[in-house]
Every structure is written in C-alpha cells, then in structure tokens.
Amino acid sequence: MKIDASKPLEYSTEENSNKIFGFWVFLGAEIPLFATLFTVYFVMVNRFADGPSGPELFEIGPVLAETFLLLTSSFTIGLAVHAMRLGYKKATLVFMGITLLMGLAFIGIEIDEFFTYVHEGATLQTSGFLSSLFVLLGTHGAHVSFGFLWGVAIMIQLWREGISPATANKTFIFSLFWHFLDVVWIFIFSFVYLKGLM
Amino acid sequence: MDLEKFKVHGEPLIYGAMISIALATIGILVGLTYFKKWGYLWREWLTTVDHKRIGVMYIIAALLMLFRGGVDAMMMRLQTAAPEMKFLDAQHYNEVFTTHGLIMILFMAMPFIIGLMNVIIPLQIGARDVAFPRLNAISFWLFFMGAMLLNISFVIGGSPDAGWSAYFPLASLEFSPTVGNNYYSLALQISGIGTLMTGVNFIVTILKMRAPGMTLMKMPMFTWSVLITNIIIVFAFPVLTVALALMMFDRLFGSQFFTMANGGMDMLWANLFWVWGHPEVYIVILPAFGIYSEIIATFSKKNLYGYTSMVFSMVIISLLSFVVWAHHFYTMGQGVMVNSFFSITTMAIAVPTGVKIFNWLFTLRKGRITFTTPMLYTLAFIPIFTIGGVTGVMLAMASADYQYHNTMFLVAHFHYVLIPGAVFAVIAGFHYWFPKVFGFRLNDRIGKHAFWWIAISFNVTFFPMFFLGLMGMTRRTYTYSEESGFGPLNMLSFVGAVGLAIGFVILVYNIYWSTRYAPRDTTGDPWDGRTLEWATHSPIPAYNFAVIPKVESRDPFWESKRKNIPLYEDKITKIHLPNNTGKPFILGVIFFFLGFFLVFSMWIPAIVAGVGIIIMLAVMSFERDHGFYISAEEVAATEKKLRGETV
C-alpha cells in the first residue's frame, strides 16, 4: 500500500481517500432519506385526528437537554479528530468516549420521551401526525444508536492498534457521520419542536 | 405457531409451481454434489469480490428472472386471449401481473444493467476493480436475497397482489390481508439497499479511478450514462427506502401513514412511490442509451456524433426525471395548476431524448455499417422507441390522459418504451460484450433468428394494445365479455407473446450452441472496438490490465490502433488485489431470514436475525484484510500465456 505522507493520515492511501469520498456520497443519499421523512412529517403535522397535536405533546425541557448533548458531542468528536491528527491516542480515545456517552444520554432521554408520549396515549397507531413524528424521530434515534455501537467498535480498534491509516480513516468517517446526525437534529429541533411549540 | 398462514390454497397451477421449485432445488443440490462442485461454487463464485464475476452473477440472475417474469406474461396473455377464459382466477391474475411488473423492472432490467456495469465499467475506465470490491459483493447478495424473498412468496404465504405500484388503500392490511404486500415491502427494501450501495460504489469508481489522461469529457458514453444513472440511484432510492418502511409500519405495526381514517393519507404513497418510480425508469433507460451509443459507434466505424450534447441531454433528462412524477396520476384530483406543471415538464423530456435519437442517426450517416446481432437490436430500437416516445407525449397531455388513463393504451406505451429501451439494450449489450467475458462470440446467424422473432413478435404483441386501450379496455382486468369485442386483438396479442417466447428460447439455445461450437477469439478485440475494454485480453485476467493504460482521446484503443500510439508505457509491476470473502454472502443470507421473519411477524427470530446482522458488520469492521499481491513475473507469464506465446 502506498502511503502519501503529505496528506493527513486518514487520507494517506488511495483506498482511504476513496472511502472518505464514498462516505460523503453515502451522506448525499442520507439527505434525500431524511428530506423525505421531513416531507412526510410536514404533510402529516395537522392530521392528528383524535390524538394530541404537537403543542399539546411537546415539552421544551428534555428537548433542550437533547440538543445540548448532541451539539456538544459534535464539538467533542471534532476534538477527537484533532487529537488524532496530532497523534495523541489517549486524548482521541477520551474525546471519543465523551462523545459516545453524550450520544448514549441523548438516546436515553429520547426513549424516556417516547415512553412519556405513549403513557399520555400518543402512540404510533393514534394518528397520521404521531406515526410520522415517531418514525422521523425514531429514524434519527436509530442512527444515533447505530453510531454508538459503531463508535464503540472503532474505539476498541483504536485502543488495540493505535492510530494507523486504517483506524484514523475509520475515526474520521465516524466523525462525518456524527456531524451529519447533529445537522439532522438541528432541523428536527427547529422544525419539529420549536415550530410545534409556537 | 400458526402454520396455516404459510399455505397457499387453491390452484393446480400453484401446486405445479411448488413441485417444480422443489424439483429444481433438489436437482441443483444433487447435481452440485454429484459433480463435486460445492467447493468450486463457494471458492470461485459465492465468495468472489471480482467485479467481472459479480457482474456475471447479476446477469445470470437477471436472465432467470427474465424467464420467471416471462412466464407471468405468458399466463396473462393466455388468460386474456379469449373472452371469459378460466385459466386463472381473479386473485391469481392479480398476483401474476403484480409480480410480472416487480420482477421485470427490479429483478430483471436493473440487475441486468448493473451486471453489465460491473463487468464493463472498470475495464472502460482502465481500472483494476471497482472502488469497494467487498461492498460490491454485499450489493449483489442483498439484491439476490431480495429477489429470492419475492420469488418464494408465490408458494409460501401468497404473492403481492395490489399491482407493482401497490397503491393504498388497496395495499393496506384492510384490503390486502395476505402477507403478499409484506413480501413486497421487505423484498424490495433488501434489494433496494443493495442497489443504493451499488450507486455509491460506482460514483466513487468512476470519479476517482479513471486511467491517467481520461478526463470527464473523454469518458466513453456508456461510462457517462452509468455515472448519471448512479447519481439518480443515490438520490431516488432513499425515497423508496422511506416509502417501503412506512408501508411496513402501516402493515406490521398499525401506523396511520396511508390509512383512510385517523389522519392517514393514501395519496402520500402514490407521491412517494412515483418520486422514486419515475427516476427509476431513467435508471434502466439511461445505461441503455449508453450501450446503444457504444454499439452504434463501433459498428459504424465512426466516432459518436455530438458527444457533448449527448452528455448534456443525459444530465437534463436526469434532472427532469425528478419533476415529472405526478403524470402517473393526473386523474387523481390534484387540480389544474399541478397537472399543467407536470404536463409541461413531461413533454420537455422529449427534447433531450430527441437530441439523442438524432445524434445516433447522424453517427450512422455515412458510416461503414456492419449488421451484427447487437447492431440489429440497436437499429430496431430507434423506430420502436420513437413510437413509445410519441405515445408518451400523447399521455403527457393531462387533459387527453383522462381518456387513456389506466387503459391498455398505457400498457402498450410503456412496453414500447421499456422493451426497446431496456430489454433490447441489455440483449444487445449481452451479445456485444459476451466475447470479452467468455472469449468467444455468440453465433450471429442464430442470434439474428432470435432477433427477428423477438422484434416482430414484440410488435404483434403490443401494437394491438394501443387499439384495445382506445376501445376502452382497462388494464389489470382478468377477463372481459364477448360483447366487448376485445377478443380478436387480444388473441393476436397472445400469438405475439408466443412468438416472443420462441425468440427468447432461440436466444438461450444460441448460448448453448456457441459455448459448444463457436470459434474461440484470441485477439481480445473481435469487433474492432474503440474503448479500453477491448484493449485487454478475453477472457479478462483477474487484474484486468497488466499495465494501466494512458488515455489521450475519447476512443483511446481505436486511436492507438490507427495511429500506432502506445497505450501501455509503464513496466509491469506487482499488482495488488483484494482477497475473496464469504462474509457478504452470509450477510445476505441473514438479511433474507430477517425479511422472511418480518413478513410473517415472527418477532423473536427477526430480532435474532437483526442482532446477527449487527454482529456480521462488527466482524467485518474488526477484520484487517490487506489483500494479496501478484508478482511482476507472474503477471508477465500470464500475459504471455494469454497472448498465446509459450511460457
């Protein structure tokens, strides 16, 4: 494998650089995926039938906590990639660990929120509005959960092998994924919750 | 466990299908064991990551599906051949037209095209493989398992029966209570994920792995068409993913997306389906345009006329393909403004398509044309596809469409577009590139026999449908009365369908005959080709090119032959290749079981399968497989051998 020392470690082989580009293309496919889910939500937002509407359901507290956690975790994964580029294995692992813990806390709050909704009689089966809400939030939450498992796998590899072209590449691609989830959340926060609370 | 829901009741035909599936399975298992081919199958095919072998597997699967879909078509034509036929009942007829559409589009046309892409694209751009060989294997196995899942629906639980477009509320649990539409949502989902991964893979391959000197505007036209197609895949397939997921939620978990009460909206499905569905038409047609461009240039011995306008018209088609979807349901009440908008965008597609037709005609003009089998399919495509296009413009007029909507006129139109636009193209491409992969040409005389049977019978089958539609015969009706007067034209159509079947049997016979008797091609360039795939040996060595070629023009191999420009300047060095792996196949099998368990709402096994998938992904993430090297001496020896020199 040819290693090009003039590039950052995660880009240093042709295969690695292709993987990063390929992941950008994949994120390009994630955009229409979430765009479709948002469209479905906007179509359904006023079709709450006999169930509760958005303003009756949403509470700002947990949502702010989720937002705070996810936005901060986007910052810490940035720090992890920065530490990785400087070659600090331990710092990389610590920042990644913090990122994943915040992701886990986010998932926890979201699950709790789902339980609260269901407890209030707002289920997937209640109305078109709630179906679309649960599936939109659930798809994002499933991405975060998958990201958590993926991140743990990468941390184990980093811990075992140190920072190599392969692990650096994986860490960097993971950071792209994590940032993307953050961007999606900003849309959910603005157009689902804030708009729904108004 | 309630075993009752697995059973399909009723017809002797279904029992016949069950017995034939069982016999075929036993036959394959016994055959593999008897000829001791299990190891060969596993080592050379099931675990392969070689783009050429994956391409061949795609094409074999597509041919099998062509015959499955073809049998469906024959059954439909037989059932409607005369008034009040009793060959199929209404339910069975519904299942047959649904699976015919699904299989022909998603499990025949798409994989055939993806198969040709796999074989040819790395060769045309002078690369050693696709960007992600292992992902490519995953794509194939997901497609294949999705296809198998849909096929077993016929004998286990019942096939989808709400049309290939599965409109709600008909496809909802309330009106389609069998598991058929569960199969629909899960089988399409699994193979759709595979297709999406193919899209990512080929975009990276084409943008990042071209031979030095091959700028974007020097790419062969087939490569251009594939690049644009894959961009459409990446933007359109996620919409299908969402639509199918919502369908699954509605049917399995009682959500209210497309229901009639509780705020659901059935038209949402129609919109989501066609936002994917119309670009899908271009996903199968644009590569076909690319194939035709290659064939016309090769067999006219001229460079392609209007290369730049060809590229731009494809780009414009790809953009327009996303803004025409509502023309599939003008009559469903979205109002004058919306219908006018979609009417205009739809008619606008005729402009870039027309540009392409004229470019092909100008390429033919004053060319030294040789009438080979692939060229015959290409030449037949132009007038037949034009009929399809013109009737398309007729249908595009929203106000006129109220007359044609859901009649046999529509059925005739889209067969006139898709059969010359996709089926003729893949058959032409199959004949054209066959010698590259297998090292011998298919017999031209038998090939032309098959061509004339197919081309003539196609028109006999589908032209009467235009008139049937105008007479008022609606599509998807399983029978009609004698007084309607539809009988004679339907009988004519059935006769054509028999002719088509004969044509395809001759085509398959040609493969058999040529494998046994056709002279082997030692040049690697049997057609006097123009692009890089002809510059390597046939059959193709595992590493494709001993030395990566240097490209200076749009037809590099042609120029190098005519002007004696050397393509290969570097010395042979060691070549890196990826190792084979069985994991993509295993992953595909687990996906198959996940799909199957979800179809029957068997939650615990489904969760086990889901966990299995996550474990497989983790195993693949932890694996460090750096592939292997072929030494320079070994490459040189292989090259000598392929050139026919003694080592």
Side-chain angles (χ1 to χ4, degrees):
Chain A
M1 231 175 295
K2 264 181 277 176
I3 293 181
D4 183 352
S6 68
K7 289 182 180 147
L9 200 56
E10 67 270 18
Y11 282 96
S12 57
T13 66
E14 194 199 347
E15 190 191 342
N16 275 355
S17 131
N18 282 350
K19 278 182 178 166
I20 292 171
F21 180 62
F23 199 78
W24 276 109
V25 177
F26 173 74
L27 289 182
E30 289 272 61
I31 292 170
L33 183 110
F34 277 103
T36 311
L37 286 171
F38 274 107
T39 310
V40 171
Y41 177 78
F42 293 140
V43 169
M44 291 290 184
V45 68
N46 291 320
R47 299 172 149 277
F48 40 80
D50 300 329
S53 66
E56 290 164 31
L57 202 63
F58 298 148
E59 283 173 61
I60 192 72
V63 176
L64 271 180
E66 283 175 303
T67 310
F68 176 76
L69 283 166
L70 214 56
L71 262 62
T72 316
S73 76
S74 206
F75 175 61
T76 52
I77 192 69
L79 292 178
V81 169
H82 189 62
M84 179 193 84
R85 283 192 171 158
L86 295 173
Y88 300 147
K89 177 179 157 187
K90 207 173 165 190
T92 313
L93 282 171
V94 168
F95 282 124
M96 256 191 104
I98 296 173
T99 307
L100 292 182
L101 283 178
M102 282 195 274
L104 198 62
F106 171 88
I107 299 163
I109 298 175
E110 186 156 63
I111 290 173
D112 180 64
E113 213 186 331
F114 278 16
F115 272 110
T116 319
Y117 291 166
V118 173
H119 194 68
E120 288 167 14
T123 66
L124 183 77
Q125 292 87 3
T126 311
S127 68
F129 160 67
L130 285 167
S131 298
S132 64
L133 178 76
F134 276 111
V135 170
L136 172 60
L137 296 179
T139 307
H140 178 264
H143 274 71
V144 178
S145 310
F146 178 78
F148 176 79
L149 295 176
W150 185 20
V152 170
I154 291 171
M155 276 182 72
I156 297 170
Q157 292 171 41
L158 260 176
W159 178 64
R160 275 194 198 163
E161 294 173 30
I163 299 170
S164 66
T167 52
N169 185 251
K170 283 166 188 256
T171 313
F172 184 76
I173 288 174
F174 174 77
S175 79
L176 292 180
F177 182 71
W178 202 260
H179 289 309
F180 176 76
L181 296 185
D182 204 30
V183 173
V184 174
W185 180 258
I186 290 169
F187 279 88
I188 292 178
F189 178 68
S190 314
F191 295 108
V192 175
Y193 287 113
L194 286 189
K195 198 165 166 288
L197 282 161
M198 275 194 301
Chain B
M1 265 296 293
D2 182 15
L3 283 175
E4 199 57 24
K5 64 187 173 187
F6 288 122
K7 289 186 193 154
V8 181
H9 291 287
E11 296 234 357
L13 272 173
I14 292 189
Y15 296 130
M18 283 178 189
I19 293 164
S20 62
I21 287 176
L23 285 179
T25 314
I26 293 168
I28 291 168
L29 296 181
V30 170
L32 282 171
T33 315
Y34 183 77
F35 292 106
K36 299 199 171 62
K37 289 290 183 194
W38 283 105
Y40 166 79
L41 184 71
W42 177 258
R43 279 190 308 274
E44 301 288 324
W45 296 96
L46 299 187
T47 60
T48 189
V49 292
D50 183 335
H51 69 95
K52 302 172 282 289
R53 284 173 186 264
I54 291 174
V56 169
M57 289 196 290
Y58 264 115
I59 292 170
I60 291 171
L63 281 172
L64 289 175
M65 290 295 108
L66 176 68
F67 281 87
R68 160 78 215 269
V71 169
D72 282 348
M74 292 300 294
M75 289 200 283
M76 283 191 283
R77 286 295 97 217
L78 180 59
Q79 166 62 26
T80 52
E84 315 280 4
M85 283 282 275
K86 295 279 185 291
F87 177 62
L88 302 173
D89 61 23
Q91 171 63 22
H92 196 177
Y93 189 80
N94 290 348
E95 295 181 12
V96 167
F97 74 66
T98 303
T99 49
H100 169 75
L102 283 173
I103 284 177
M104 285 305 202
I105 298 243
L106 288 150
F107 300 127
M108 188 284 286
M110 289 247 320
F112 213 133
I113 278 161
I114 293 176
L116 291 173
M117 263 185 216
N118 259 291
V119 175
I120 297 306
I121 290 299
L123 297 173
Q124 269 198 343
I125 63 174
R128 294 228 160 94
D129 206 326
V130 293
F132 311 115
R134 211 174 252 224
L135 186 68
N136 202 18
I138 295 177
S139 290
F140 171 75
W141 288 113
L142 288 182
F143 144 72
F144 185 79
M145 294 302 165
M148 289 303 107
L149 192 59
L150 190 80
N151 273 284
I152 62 160
S153 71
F154 197 56
V155 288
I156 305 177
S159 287
D161 53 2
W164 90 283
S165 47
Y167 278 169
F168 280 81
L170 178 60
S172 68
L173 205 53
E174 193 182 349
F175 298 103
S176 297
T178 69
V179 294
N181 281 292
N182 297 356
Y183 272 114
Y184 178 104
S185 66
L186 287 150
L188 265 60
Q189 188 71 283
I190 291 170
S191 63
I193 296 168
T195 308
L196 183 60
M197 294 301 125
T198 301
V200 173
N201 208 340
F202 276 84
I203 290 176
V204 179
T205 306
I206 295 173
L207 289 181
K208 290 278 202 176
M209 297 178 67
R210 297 191 308 277
M214 187 184 277
T215 56
L216 283 177
M217 291 310 270
K218 282 191 186 129
M219 293 198 308
M221 196 47 65
F222 180 59
T223 306
W224 253 116
S225 70
V226 168
L227 175 64
I228 294 169
T229 301
N230 283 296
I231 293 172
I232 303 180
I233 287 178
V234 164
F235 282 101
F237 265 77
V239 183
L240 178 72
T241 305
V242 172
L244 292 171
L246 303 187
M247 179 185 197
M248 184 190 78
F249 275 111
D250 260 18
R251 292 187 56 92
L252 296 183
F253 305 110
S255 61
Q256 308 282 353
F257 288 105
F258 311 124
T259 50
M260 302 298 282
N262 299 319
M265 191 198 264
D266 50 350
M267 277 309 289
L268 185 61
W269 167 265
N271 278 284
L272 290 178
F273 181 84
W274 287 113
V275 168
W276 161 79
H278 203 83
E280 166 68 16
V281 175
Y282 290 93
I283 291 170
V284 296
I285 279 188
L286 285 181
F289 289 173
I291 294 170
Y292 289 135
S293 300
E294 301 289 339
I295 290 174
I296 286 180
T298 303
F299 294 112
S300 307
K301 302 234 180 294
K302 282 177 67 188
N303 56 349
L304 193 65
Y305 183 90
Y307 178 96
T308 317
S309 64
M310 283 295 218
V311 172
F312 275 99
S313 54
M314 280 197 290
V315 173
I316 292 166
I317 290 173
S318 73
L319 296 174
L320 285 174
S321 75
F322 282 94
V323 290
V324 296
W325 77 88
H327 70 210
H328 293 271
F329 40 88
Y330 282 140
T331 57
M332 296 196 200
Q334 53 262 322
V336 178
M337 276 310 287
V338 173
N339 277 0
S340 311
F341 174 83
F342 283 97
S343 223
I344 291 165
T345 52
T346 305
M347 285 189 250
I349 286 195
V351 177
T353 316
V355 168
K356 297 188 74 69
I357 299 269
F358 282 111
N359 280 338
W360 288 318
L361 293 177
F362 282 123
T363 310
L364 289 166
R365 185 172 171 267
K366 290 191 175 176
R368 276 178 287 138
I369 299 170
T370 36
F371 292 96
T372 56
T373 311
M375 191 60 172
L376 284 183
Y377 281 105
T378 310
L379 293 175
F381 149 79
I382 295 175
I384 299 177
F385 186 77
T386 305
I387 296 175
V390 169
T391 50
V393 176
M394 289 169 74
L395 284 156
M397 294 182 281
S399 42
D401 182 65
Y402 278 76
Q403 195 66 31
Y404 317 126
H405 185 82
N406 262 0
T407 64
M408 294 303 279
F409 187 88
L410 170 79
V411 176
H413 155 72
F414 68 68
H415 284 91
Y416 261 81
V417 174
L418 282 170
I419 290 188
V423 181
F424 282 17
V426 292
I427 298 174
F430 181 75
H431 283 82
Y432 179 58
W433 282 307
F434 192 88
K436 180 80 312 197
V437 178
F438 294 103
F440 58 92
R441 276 190 274 190
L442 292 172
N443 182 281
D444 211 41
R445 202 174 51 84
I446 307 175
K448 281 175 182 165
H449 268 288
F451 163 77
W452 287 110
W453 275 98
I454 290 172
I456 294 171
S457 308
F458 163 78
N459 286 292
V460 177
T461 312
F462 292 102
F463 209 76
M465 291 186 192
F466 283 122
F467 298 106
L468 283 170
L470 295 177
M471 284 159 72
M473 183 176 176
T474 53
R475 70 196 288 211
R476 294 171 173 172
T477 41
Y478 86 107
T479 194
Y480 49 88
S481 68
E482 183 145 20
E483 295 76 54
S484 64
F486 300 152
L489 284 173
N490 272 305
M491 181 52 89
L492 185 60
S493 177
F494 172 67
V495 171
V498 173
L500 268 174
I502 293 170
F504 281 107
V505 169
I506 298 173
L507 198 154
V508 171
Y509 171 72
N510 194 10
I511 300 173
Y512 163 77
W513 191 92
S514 306
T515 309
R516 291 200 67 168
Y517 305 114
R520 307 293 121 159
D521 162 55
T522 48
T523 58
D525 180 26
W527 309 112
D528 198 7
R530 314 177 68 83
T531 39
L532 286 178
E533 74 267 32
W534 305 109
T536 183
H537 311 280
S538 16
I540 314 142
Y543 47 80
N544 293 356
F545 297 93
V547 172
I548 297 294
K550 294 243 185 323
V551 177
E552 282 168 7
S553 64
R554 279 175 191 162
D555 298 302
F557 186 49
W558 179 263
E559 298 287 320
S560 104
K561 284 188 286 187
R562 290 296 169 282
K563 297 180 187 160
N564 269 325
I565 307 167
L567 270 177
Y568 307 110
E569 286 174 344
D570 299 337
K571 278 209 188 73
I572 293 176
T573 51
K574 61 175 181 174
I575 294 172
H576 178 251
L577 287 176
N579 282 323
N580 283 0
T581 167
K583 295 187 183 78
F585 175 73
I586 297 168
L587 188 69
V589 171
I590 305 177
F591 260 101
F592 175 87
F593 281 106
L594 174 69
F596 184 81
F597 294 139
L598 283 176
V599 165
F600 288 98
S601 308
M602 291 148 72
W603 306 122
I604 307 285
I607 290 168
V608 173
V611 172
I613 288 168
I614 290 173
I615 291 171
M616 275 312 289
L617 293 177
V619 168
M620 287 165 119
S621 170
F622 277 92
E623 194 177 10
R624 290 291 178 273
D625 185 345
H626 298 296
F628 65 98
Y629 283 96
I630 308 180
S631 68
E633 297 77 47
E634 207 184 325
V635 174
T638 316
E639 287 290 298
K640 266 191 181 169
K641 207 167 133 198
L642 286 167
R643 275 197 299 267
E645 297 168 24
T646 42
V647 186

